[in-house]
Amino acid sequence: MFEYFDLWKLLAGLGLFLFGMRQLEVALEKLAGKTFRRFLKESTDRPIRSVFSGIISTTIVQSSSLVSLIVMAFVGAGIIPLVNAIGVVLGSNLGTTFTGWIVTTLGFKLDFSTIIFPLFAFGGLSFGLFKGRWKSISLLVLGLALLLMGLDFMKDSVSTLTKIVDINQLSGYPLIVYLLIGMVFTAIIQSSSATMMLTLSALHAGIIPLPAAAALVIGADLGTTSTVLLGSLQGAVGKRQLAAAQVVFNVFIDTLAFLFILPLLSVIEKLQIQDPLYSLVAFHSLFNLLGLVIFMPFVKQYAQLLEGWITEINSHIDLYIHKVPETVIDAALEALMLETRHLLYLVVRLNARFLSLHIEQIDTINNEFEKSDAVLAFTKLEHYITIKKLEGDIINYAHKIQSVNLKDDKTVTKEESEIYPQRIDSLMKAIRSGVDSAKALKDISDDLDYFYLMDNKELSDYFEVLKGSTHNLYGPIVNFLNQQQDSELLKEELDDLILKSEIFHHEFADNIYKKMGREKLSSLDLSTLLNVNKEFQTSEKALIKALELL
């Protein structure tokens, strides 16, 4: 049997296809980057627009899973409401069917050798010779070449099976078997597109009939939900709600498609589509389009149902203030102070994530803080939004304390009634400084990502110097956060840290200005370095100031 069928060629083709698809996703994400995310954010203000955004985005990046995961992060961060995110997911299901149309039109109609070698030549040479945006374009071309080569391997290896497989033997298996195979296979390899390509290859070779191929595609549609389920395991409740929305939608529409598989195929047959490959991709598009039409009028009610069904297990972002009534002044102030320390701890954790720093002292602060939702956040953006929400909760709690008439409280002395408002004001300023510290790094997160991905040694060396200085500061900062006492000595040490930070960043900027024109760096790289240096200093100064106020 194996003298006709090259199993390794089939597996190699599948591996190349998956690797090529991943490189396409990486390249498109780099090329689109902030613009792509801004498009998703700004074009989802209404359900109908969000559907078209999902269709267009998935057609561009050729991955419904990638679009779903990005939108899931937006939902978790509170940037996109659930109702609009559901629209994007519904649209992405239809958008992903364009992969089948493209491959059917090109992949099985052209001689691969006429395309693959020029793509490898252009992609490989430009990847080695150019930098910056062109490198991402080169990666995209190489990804496309690998994808097509993988498809060619799969097509060739599967076509040899026609010599040893009797199609009539396969017709004895019920369609549910094909559905389960498609579902499990897609869940394992995490790519419905790969399952679709294998199915198209088998159909093209005449190994499986059209109904069996349709059942495999339905199974792939079900299996792809495993990606969003994995992405929703951590983080905000909105992510779990969106994952449930996609799973319920796919299960519902795929069940209908399977029950009416033969009638739907007969509808396609009446459209005079003779080629079974086109019939299969038309079937895939048709049942996803029908699902969109069925669900669209009820998206708002669907979102409300999910929000009521899946709720936050722990509705408190804070760890202390929800446990203490604001009328018990002494205890409330203690809770306010502890919550402020909690917020600053979360800021330190987030800043360390932005800078990819491992700070050993963090683990010695307070194990209670590890229960915080922000520590468990799936993305840095969700972590930042959680800090912002906690800031709002603390401010509201502080206002409630301030609204209590201290003069009527017999347990509060006259001196305390004068000191307490000042203490609350200091804590509020500490919170604001802490959030400002996190915001300074969040605003340059794209620049930081660029530094981590670059291959320019001179630029990398500069960045490592910056990181090294910041790492040296964060050890003492975390130690101060862990100290309870309030002393002049502590203030002097913090002032000394601010001075060290100012001196370093001033000298770093001077060094950049002096070497301009002599380094192998572009004007854009130099400008980015200066901006990052400034924001590092802003972040450090704000965090040290917050500790001083605490």
Side-chain angles (χ1 to χ4, degrees), residues 66-80:
L66 176 63
V67 172
S68 295
L69 290 174
I70 291 173
V71 174
M72 190 178 286
F74 284 158
V75 172
I79 296 173
I80 298 177

Side-chain angles (χ1 to χ4, degrees), residues 116-183:
I116 292 173
F117 294 125
L119 288 176
F120 270 123
F122 174 80
L125 289 171
S126 58
F127 189 84
L129 295 173
F130 299 114
K131 296 179 180 179
R133 192 172 180 83
W134 271 105
K135 207 172 189 71
S136 296
I137 294 172
S138 305
L139 186 63
L140 185 146
V141 173
L142 282 172
L144 182 60
L146 288 166
L147 188 149
L148 291 175
M149 177 174 278
L151 182 59
D152 191 34
F153 279 14
M154 286 189 286
K155 189 175 71 173
D156 286 349
S157 62
V158 171
S159 64
T160 59
L161 281 176
T162 55
K163 301 175 183 178
I164 56 172
V165 175
D166 182 0
I167 190 66
N168 295 320
Q169 293 178 346
L170 294 175
S171 62
Y173 290 99
L175 294 180
I176 188 69
V177 172
Y178 292 97
L179 182 143
L180 293 173
I181 291 172
M183 181 177 69

Side-chain angles (χ1 to χ4, degrees), residues 237-431:
V237 65
K239 294 170 68 173
R240 295 194 292 276
Q241 291 166 345
L242 184 60
Q246 182 160 2
V247 171
V248 171
F249 171 77
N250 280 44
V251 169
F252 177 79
I253 197 60
D254 291 336
T255 301
L256 283 181
F258 186 72
L259 292 175
F260 296 97
I261 190 168
L262 296 179
L264 286 172
L265 288 174
S266 66
V267 169
I268 291 168
E269 188 179 347
K270 289 176 183 177
L271 295 174
Q272 303 298 315
I273 300 176
Q274 304 298 325
D275 192 325
L277 298 180
Y278 283 115
S279 297
L280 181 61
V281 292
F283 171 79
H284 191 202
S285 296
L286 179 60
F287 76 76
N288 274 289
L289 178 61
L290 288 174
L292 194 59
V293 171
I294 293 169
F295 268 73
M296 264 307 296
F298 309 104
V299 168
K300 189 174 290 186
Q301 293 87 338
Y302 187 34
Q304 290 171 349
L305 177 67
L306 288 165
E307 286 170 340
W309 177 31
I310 303 172
T311 56
E312 188 64 80
I313 298 171
N314 175 15
S315 59
H316 298 291
I317 299 171
D318 59 274
L319 296 179
Y320 304 100
I321 57 178
H322 73 275
K323 300 175 182 177
V324 182
E326 61 275 1
T327 52
V328 185
I329 302 299
D330 286 348
L333 279 172
E334 179 68 15
L336 190 65
M337 187 274 291
L338 288 172
E339 207 65 70
T340 303
R341 286 184 68 236
H342 172 216
L343 182 139
L344 295 181
Y345 167 78
L346 295 180
V347 169
V348 169
R349 286 293 296 255
L350 177 59
N351 289 357
R353 289 182 70 184
F354 276 127
L355 301 171
S356 295
L357 297 177
H358 175 65
I359 303 166
E360 294 177 358
Q361 291 90 335
I362 285 180
D363 301 325
T364 67
I365 295 181
N366 190 334
N367 290 334
E368 182 74 13
F369 291 164
E370 293 297 326
K371 299 175 184 177
S372 173
D373 286 348
V375 174
L376 302 173
F378 191 63
T379 68
K380 292 189 282 284
L381 182 58
E382 289 175 4
H383 191 149
Y384 177 72
I385 293 297
T386 305
I387 290 172
K388 293 278 290 178
K389 289 177 181 176
L390 180 57
E391 178 192 21
D393 289 345
I394 296 173
I395 290 171
N396 286 332
Y397 186 76
H399 285 326
K400 289 177 182 178
I401 297 174
Q402 289 171 328
S403 67
V404 176
N405 191 344
L406 296 178
K407 292 179 181 179
D408 295 339
D409 192 333
K410 303 297 183 183
T411 64
V412 178
T413 66
K414 182 180 178 181
E415 185 182 3
E416 287 173 337
S417 68
E418 293 173 353
I419 293 174
Y420 284 172
Q422 296 172 16
R423 181 65 177 141
I424 293 171
D425 184 57
S426 291
L427 290 172
M428 293 304 95
K429 288 178 180 176
I431 289 165

Side-chain angles (χ1 to χ4, degrees), residues 83-236:
V83 62
N84 294 345
I86 290 174
V88 177
V89 167
L90 299 186
S92 70
N93 266 44
L94 182 60
T96 196
T97 65
F98 282 90
T99 305
W101 285 105
I102 293 168
V103 173
T104 301
T105 303
L106 298 177
F108 292 94
K109 307 299 177 186
L110 297 174
D111 180 6
F112 281 116
S113 61
T114 61
I115 305 173
I116 292 173
F117 294 125
L119 288 176
F120 270 123
F122 174 80
L125 289 171
S126 58
F127 189 84
L129 295 173
F130 299 114
K131 296 179 180 179
R133 192 172 180 83
W134 271 105
K135 207 172 189 71
S136 296
I137 294 172
S138 305
L139 186 63
L140 185 146
V141 173
L142 282 172
L144 182 60
L146 288 166
L147 188 149
L148 291 175
M149 177 174 278
L151 182 59
D152 191 34
F153 279 14
M154 286 189 286
K155 189 175 71 173
D156 286 349
S157 62
V158 171
S159 64
T160 59
L161 281 176
T162 55
K163 301 175 183 178
I164 56 172
V165 175
D166 182 0
I167 190 66
N168 295 320
Q169 293 178 346
L170 294 175
S171 62
Y173 290 99
L175 294 180
I176 188 69
V177 172
Y178 292 97
L179 182 143
L180 293 173
I181 291 172
M183 181 177 69
V184 172
F185 184 73
T186 303
I188 292 171
I189 66 172
Q190 292 288 294
S191 174
S192 59
S193 296
T195 306
M196 183 68 171
M197 296 312 104
L198 278 173
T199 305
L200 284 169
S201 298
L203 185 63
H204 177 69
I207 295 172
I208 58 172
L210 181 58
L216 279 168
V217 168
I218 296 170
D221 229 44
L222 281 171
T224 196
T225 58
S226 62
T227 305
V228 291
L229 281 173
L230 289 172
S232 69
L233 292 179
Q234 291 180 300

Side-chain angles (χ1 to χ4, degrees), residues 474-494:
Y474 265 70
I477 285 173
V478 175
N479 286 334
F480 292 139
L481 183 59
N482 201 25
Q483 294 179 28
Q484 301 286 343
Q485 73 272 19
D486 181 15
S487 66
E488 286 300 317
L489 179 62
L490 186 61
K491 184 180 185 306
E492 288 177 11
E493 291 174 343
L494 289 170

